[in-house]
Amino acid sequence: MARELHPDVTGQKNNFRFQQVTGAYTLLKNLPPEELEALSQSVSEHEKARIRKAEQKRREESLKAERSAKIDGILTKYEADFKDYYANRKSGDDTEMRAIILRMKSSRPKVVNAALKHSAPFANRVEFRKALTDILKRGEIDSTTADIAGSLPFDDTTRKLIALDASGNAGNFPAGLIISLIGNDADAMESMLLHASPENIAVILRRWPSGKSMNDSIIRTLLASDDMRVLVPLLGAIRTNFPKSAKNHAKRLRELENHSAAAVRAWARKLL
């Protein structure tokens, strides 16, 4: 190695490595035989441990891949069996609904989604509504789950009850699901407004029913935000749908005349 790394051969680019090699050789050649043998054994044991660790990691990765493939196979078979099960049953009976609700309690989105795909006949049943609300109250909602839930044929009462009960997790809802749940109901919209993300607050406000007033405490809560994604659509909605409420918030509107966003300042001046 010293010959390969010598400055006369490679120039100065490997000078540090050359010094390491020559230093190691100087150290080793001065060791007595018994110390050299002990050092050799130590290095050998270290290498064996490294090999064992690498082999263990390979085994774990192989088991993980095998386990994942097995789970995917089970789920694929389950979904196929599930479709056959419902194809051969009388649609809409209580046994079918209970089977769907049981599977909706699963922690695996694929199982839940397979159940939801067959749930349209029960969309407005109380038991199904409660089971779906429980799903929507969980953490982040799987996009496929949101799409299927949003496409179910809810009547206005069921839609509103789900929106009110699940609104606390609205910050994790995609826009499409929120639009489906609020319909044209102002109460559902107000409930969602308190928890939705800034982008979806704007979506809700753009759909606000014409001429319908908003709860003053909701307006106050939203006006307290400094986020222009909230303030611009809110101020626009106040101007369009409930302009009389502006006088109740004149103090905040005067503060917003100094907001960093030009659009917010402009809307605040219009309302004042």
Side-chain angles (χ1 to χ4, degrees):
M1 289 180 69
R3 283 196 295 272
E4 292 173 1
L5 299 170
H6 197 283
D8 290 345
V9 177
T10 63
Q12 297 299 316
K13 65 178 181 179
N14 291 314
N15 189 48
F16 178 71
R17 183 66 170 159
F18 174 74
Q19 290 176 6
Q20 285 184 315
V21 171
T22 54
Y25 176 72
T26 300
L27 172 67
L28 293 173
K29 77 175 183 176
N30 291 317
L31 289 177
E34 62 274 11
E35 288 190 30
L36 194 59
E37 178 63 22
L39 180 61
S40 175
Q41 291 177 355
S42 174
V43 171
S44 178
E45 289 301 318
H46 177 76
E47 179 64 14
K48 288 178 182 177
R50 185 192 67 77
I51 292 172
R52 285 196 299 270
K53 187 175 180 181
E55 185 61 32
Q56 177 67 20
K57 184 177 180 181
R58 282 193 293 271
R59 282 198 300 269
E60 289 175 355
E61 289 176 349
S62 176
L63 285 172
K64 184 178 179 181
E66 190 177 309
R67 195 159 48 238
S68 179
K70 185 175 181 181
I71 290 172
D72 287 343
I74 291 170
L75 288 172
T76 299
K77 184 179 183 304
Y78 161 78
E79 191 158 3
D81 290 347
F82 201 41
K83 289 177 181 177
D84 291 342
Y85 172 77
Y86 283 106
N88 297 317
R89 288 195 62 81
K90 181 182 177 182
S91 178
D93 67 16
D94 288 345
T95 304
E96 183 180 359
M97 183 181 70
R98 285 194 295 271
I100 287 175
I101 291 175
L102 177 64
R103 286 155 178 80
M104 286 169 64
K105 295 178 181 179
S106 171
S107 60
R108 295 190 66 87
K110 286 186 178 181
V111 176
V112 173
N113 295 339
L116 287 176
K117 288 176 184 177
H118 301 277
S119 64
F122 313 104
N124 297 298
R125 299 277 289 272
V126 174
E127 301 94 322
F128 175 79
R129 171 175 59 79
K130 290 180 177 179
L132 178 59
T133 300
D134 287 341
I135 291 173
L136 299 180
K137 284 181 176 180
R138 297 175 190 172
E140 192 157 348
I141 304 301
D142 176 76
S143 60
T144 304
T145 304
D147 290 343
I148 298 172
S151 67
L152 292 173
F154 301 122
D155 59 33
D156 290 342
T157 300
T158 300
R159 191 184 308 277
K160 179 175 180 176
L161 289 173
I162 293 174
L164 294 176
D165 290 344
S167 62
N169 196 35
N172 289 312
F173 292 175
L177 179 58
I178 287 182
I179 290 171
S180 173
L181 292 178
I182 60 176
N184 293 313
D185 190 275
D187 291 337
M189 291 183 183
E190 286 185 343
S191 186
M192 289 283 185
L193 282 171
L194 291 173
H195 305 284
S197 65
E199 294 83 357
N200 286 338
I201 286 175
V203 169
I204 296 169
L205 289 170
R206 284 196 292 269
R207 302 177 71 83
W208 193 263
S210 178
K212 180 72 176 179
S213 62
M214 182 185 291
N215 186 294
D216 209 51
S217 65
I218 305 290
I219 298 175
R220 185 175 296 104
T221 298
L222 296 179
L223 279 175
S225 172
D226 283 323
D227 194 327
M228 68 173 292
R229 294 172 297 176
V230 175
L231 291 172
V232 170
L234 173 63
L235 297 174
I238 292 174
R239 175 75 183 270
T240 303
N241 296 309
F242 33 92
K244 292 181 180 179
S245 66
K247 65 180 181 181
N248 297 331
H249 306 281
K251 181 180 178 181
R252 177 57 177 160
L253 291 173
R254 284 193 290 271
E255 293 173 355
L256 292 177
E257 284 188 294
N258 298 313
H259 194 275
S260 59
V264 175
R265 297 196 299 270
W267 275 111
R269 282 194 291 270
K270 286 181 181 179
L271 288 169
L272 286 169

